[in-house]
């Protein structure tokens, strides 16, 4: 688990709100009711006897008369929800689109994905927590349950795969950034419906190497192409179409798009392979060389069906 331990150091950010759970928990501070008109709303609930928290961002463009897509943003190990929010900056686009974005916080800045994170060791049920979170948001806001998506970085990327496998009935698409899939999850993954899957990975990522790495207990984090191929087979995809994208920025990177669009399930699979790219969110930053040839947010939202200018 040395790679994941390194992430704890690399992403050392002070946690601002690392809790989450159900409607009423004695001793929790009062939080505002969700309201239209725009704003950030910290929500707390008790789940598994723990205080769990998540921040819901409602743009001024959202309306209670129109069902809005919901985007779940999942941070990495050693990072918290505010840290990912600042790094990704996806609201620059979702605000204009009228999308609601939610930033949940993992336990000890980690998600229980089966790789011996702190959340794993403590027996945290993050799938159940996120499932409950979606239901609570749906009970308070007009969201489109056919357009609930998850995007994650690093350990958060691993969590998107787990959600696709175990909450496929709720999650309509995932975007895995600087992460891959865990063999222990892949061996038992049986989504209840096909899930579109998108990936952005750099081939010079020291934390999630292109070819994968051991994850303990005889399991491993799969390589990038191995993960993409797994989803392509799962979604009944044929051969991919490969395109070299324009090298528009002098940043030392280039991007190859590997697109599986001929999928019998109707759920496409897509990889943005960043040559010389590090452990980053393209267009924004991270650890290592960041590609500016693509805007990761634009590509993610476009894959999820957003109509962008």
């Amino acid at each position: 688990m040395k790679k994941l331990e390194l992430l704890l150091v690399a992403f050392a950010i002070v946690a601002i709100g690392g809790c989450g759970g159900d409607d009423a928990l004695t001793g929790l501070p009062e939080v505002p009711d969700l309201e239209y008109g725009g704003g950030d709303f910290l929500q707390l609930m008790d789940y598994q006897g723990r205080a769990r928290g998540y921040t819901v961002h409602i743009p001024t463009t959202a309306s209670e008369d129109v069902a809005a897509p919901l985007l779940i943003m999942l941070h990495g190990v050693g990072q918290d929800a505010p840290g990912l929010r600042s790094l990704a900056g996806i609201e620059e686009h979702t605000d204009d689109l009228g999308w609601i974005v939610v930033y949940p916080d993992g336990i000890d800045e980690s998600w229980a994905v089966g790789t011996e994170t702190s959340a794993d060791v403590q027996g945290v049920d993050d799938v159940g927590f996120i499932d409950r979170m979606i239901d609570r948001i749906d009970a308070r806001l007009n969201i489109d349950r056919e357009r609930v998506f998850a995007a994650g970085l690093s350990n958060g990327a691993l969590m998107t795969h787990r959600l696709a496998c175990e909450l496929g009935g709720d999650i309509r698409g995932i975007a895995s950034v600087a992460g891959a899939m865990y063999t222990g999850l892949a061996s038992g993954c049986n989504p209840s419906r096909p899930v579109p899957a998108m990936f952005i990975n750099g081939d010079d990522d020291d934390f999630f190497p292109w070819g994968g790495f051991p994850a303990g207990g005889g399991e491993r984090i799969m390589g990038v192409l191995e993960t993409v191929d797994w989803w392509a087979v799962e979604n009944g995809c044929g051969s991919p179409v490969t395109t070299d994208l324009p090298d528009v920025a002098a940043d030392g990177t280039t991007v190859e798009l590997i697109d599986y669009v001929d999928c019998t399930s109707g759920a496409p699979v897509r990889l943005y392979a960043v040559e010389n790219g590090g452990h980053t969110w393209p267009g924004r930053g991270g650890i290592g060389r960041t590609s500016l040839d693509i805007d990761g947010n634009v590509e993610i939202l476009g894959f999820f069906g957003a109509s962008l200018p």
Side-chain angles (χ1 to χ4, degrees):
M1 296 310 300
K2 290 183 178 179
K3 292 292 181 182
L4 293 177
E5 290 168 0
L6 282 171
L7 284 172
L8 287 168
V9 177
F11 277 120
I13 301 171
V14 176
I16 295 176
C19 316
D22 210 287
D23 286 37
L25 181 65
T26 302
L28 288 182
E30 291 190 15
V31 292
D33 290 334
L34 298 176
E35 297 178 357
Y36 285 95
D40 298 328
F41 300 88
L42 172 63
Q43 301 291 288
L44 299 173
M45 66 178 178
D46 176 26
Y47 190 75
Q48 290 186 295
R50 296 176 180 270
R52 301 297 306 265
Y54 54 94
T55 298
V56 181
H57 175 72
I58 304 174
T60 58
T61 48
S63 167
E64 59 186 318
D65 298 323
V66 179
L70 177 68
L71 175 61
I72 303 166
M73 295 285 286
L74 301 166
H75 61 76
V77 162
Q79 187 184 45
D80 58 10
L84 176 62
R85 183 180 187 183
S86 176
L87 174 65
I90 203 164
E91 291 161 29
E92 176 185 354
H93 303 288
T94 56
D95 278 359
D96 291 337
L97 294 167
W99 287 37
I100 295 169
V101 185
V102 58
Y103 302 89
D105 259 305
I107 294 296
D108 291 343
E109 301 179 338
S110 68
W111 299 105
V113 294
T115 59
E116 300 177 11
T117 64
S118 180
D120 281 310
V121 171
Q122 295 179 60
V124 174
D125 175 15
D126 277 324
V127 173
F129 161 53
I130 291 173
D131 188 27
R132 180 79 59 82
M133 179 190 76
I134 294 170
D135 286 343
R136 291 179 87 235
I137 294 172
D138 188 29
R140 292 159 171 79
L141 298 172
N142 185 8
I143 65 169
D144 185 346
R145 293 299 290 253
E146 292 298 318
R147 291 189 293 170
V148 177
F149 307 105
L153 173 69
S154 193
N155 177 235
L158 283 163
M159 191 64 200
T160 67
H161 294 282
R162 186 163 191 183
L163 293 179
C165 291
E166 300 180 27
L167 276 187
D170 285 320
I171 303 299
R172 299 301 194 259
I174 63 170
S176 169
V177 182
M181 199 174 186
Y182 170 55
T183 51
L185 176 64
S187 63
C189 181
N190 185 26
S192 60
R193 61 189 288 174
V195 180
M198 174 188 155
F199 307 83
I200 304 177
N201 290 86
D203 66 4
D204 194 24
D205 185 335
D206 290 335
F207 301 102
F208 275 79
W210 192 260
F213 61 93
E219 303 287 355
R220 54 189 289 273
I221 302 296
M222 295 159 60
V224 174
L225 295 180
E226 183 182 2
T227 301
V228 173
D229 286 346
W230 188 95
W231 278 106
V233 171
E234 174 67 24
N235 288 353
C237 302
S239 299
V241 175
T242 301
T243 306
D244 291 325
L245 299 184
D247 186 11
V248 297
D251 55 23
T253 74
T254 56
V255 180
E256 183 179 62
L257 172 61
I258 301 174
D259 214 0
Y260 291 84
V261 293
D262 184 17
C263 304
T264 58
S265 66
V269 176
R270 179 175 299 170
L271 166 65
Y272 291 89
V274 184
E275 183 178 3
N276 299 323
H279 195 70
T280 68
W281 196 280
R284 297 289 298 185
I287 301 169
R289 186 175 283 122
T290 301
S291 180
L292 301 178
D293 290 328
I294 61 171
D295 181 329
N297 292 328
V298 169
E299 305 305 335
I300 289 169
L301 293 170
F303 182 76
F304 290 157
S307 297
L308 296 163

